[in-house]
Amino acid sequence: MRPLAILVLTIVLAAGMASPATSADEALQPPIADAEQDVSDDYDPWQRFNEKMFFFNHDILDRYVLKPVATGWGKVLPDVGKRGLDRAFDNLGMPKRLVNSLLQGRFRGAGRELARFGVNTTVGVVGFLDVARAQLHIEKSDADTGETLGVYGLGPGPYLVLPALKPLTVRDGIGYGVDGLLDPFGYVTPFLATTGISIVKQVNERSLNLQIFQDVEDSVLDLYSAVRNGYLQRRRRLIEEADAARQAEWHPPSRAVAAR
């Protein structure tokens, strides 16, 4: 299984990273600040390797395989069908979000995930329609294992680009592998079917973002740095937002403060 391979690879890479000792004062700092404070938004000690992998992913795999297939996919399937399929794939990701919401102590988020899955799987025709959001205003609580590890203070580690995968850090690579193990459908679906579903999901997602990708490529001089910095900053922001949501759930403001 590819997620398991990613998990093993990132653990091996992480084992080779030097981790400086922390003082007692540093250990008392908030988890996210402790994990992120000394890591810049462009921490990339493996840049030479990453740039080669980025060249392969973007200039070869995407340009000559994924983009042409996604373009043809867009001509065959109307936009409404692609968006419905994207929502259905997202609906299948409920177990990962549910488990990580619980692990983060975001029980309201976990409840929203259960409610969304129940409504969208039934009334929403296995998730093709997001009835929970459109009619009941139930937003999904996006959460993954990499985010959970960050909430509890594990630093991101080096930025990492691997063949045929989206950008990662070592922490998110470990999280990606664990998320794959949390997917119950992988245990009941044949390997070839699981691989086929993964390919269709990636092609469909690329087809939905053809113009966005093109606009970025046309407007950015250093695409590698732009993708890296954008990914790292976005992940840091998501972890901060997840931690803030957890704090708000466990320590809600008093009525007097909320009334101000």
Side-chain angles (χ1 to χ4, degrees), residues 5 11 19 26 29 35 40 55 68 84 93 119 130 137 139 151 170 172 184 195 217 224-226 246:
I11 289 176
S19 55
E26 290 173 331
Q29 294 180 4
S40 66
F55 174 83
V119 171
D130 194 347
H137 309 292
E139 299 288 342
V151 166
V170 168
D172 290 342
T195 302
E217 292 174 350
Y224 170 81
S225 296
R246 181 183 65 161

Side-chain angles (χ1 to χ4, degrees), residues 54-242:
F54 183 82
F55 174 83
F56 171 76
N57 286 341
H58 177 263
D59 289 44
I60 298 177
L61 188 61
D62 184 76
R63 178 175 296 178
Y64 296 110
V65 180
L66 186 56
K67 185 177 180 180
V69 173
T71 301
W73 181 265
K75 294 179 180 179
V76 173
L77 192 66
D79 191 64
V80 62
K82 288 183 293 183
R83 296 196 179 281
L85 193 59
D86 185 63
R87 288 190 289 266
F89 283 133
D90 185 75
N91 192 54
L92 293 177
M94 183 277 294
K96 172 196 72 176
R97 295 190 297 269
L98 172 65
V99 170
N100 281 287
S101 292
L102 291 172
L103 290 175
Q104 292 175 21
R106 297 164 57 190
F107 300 112
R108 294 175 185 171
R112 286 195 297 271
E113 282 299 327
L114 286 174
R116 282 179 52 81
F117 184 76
V119 171
N120 287 342
T121 301
T122 54
V123 183
V125 194
V126 298
F128 278 90
L129 301 175
D130 194 347
V131 178
R133 180 181 182 183
Q135 303 298 327
L136 303 177
H137 309 292
I138 305 175
E139 299 288 342
K140 72 175 182 178
S141 301
D142 203 6
D144 56 58
T145 303
E147 181 182 282
T148 300
L149 294 174
V151 166
Y152 285 103
L154 182 65
Y159 180 67
L160 178 62
V161 182
L162 295 174
L165 291 179
K166 296 179 180 180
L168 295 166
T169 59
V170 168
R171 177 183 63 201
D172 290 342
I174 294 172
Y176 179 79
V178 174
D179 287 337
L181 298 176
L182 290 175
D183 181 10
F185 302 101
Y187 296 99
V188 298
T189 307
F191 176 76
L192 291 178
T194 302
T195 302
I197 291 173
S198 178
I199 292 173
V200 171
K201 179 181 178 180
Q202 190 170 3
V203 169
N204 190 67
E205 183 177 334
R206 183 65 173 92
S207 183
L208 283 169
N209 294 285
L210 282 170
Q211 190 57 51
I212 295 176
F213 276 52
Q214 190 62 51
D215 291 343
V216 171
E217 292 174 350
D218 293 341
S219 61
V220 173
L221 294 178
D222 186 354
L223 185 61
Y224 170 81
S225 296
V227 171
R228 176 194 61 196
N229 295 352
Y231 173 79
L232 294 176
Q233 292 168 14
R234 176 177 175 274
R235 289 299 289 176
R236 182 171 183 173
R237 185 179 67 253
L238 288 174
I239 291 170
E240 290 172 346
E241 291 173 353

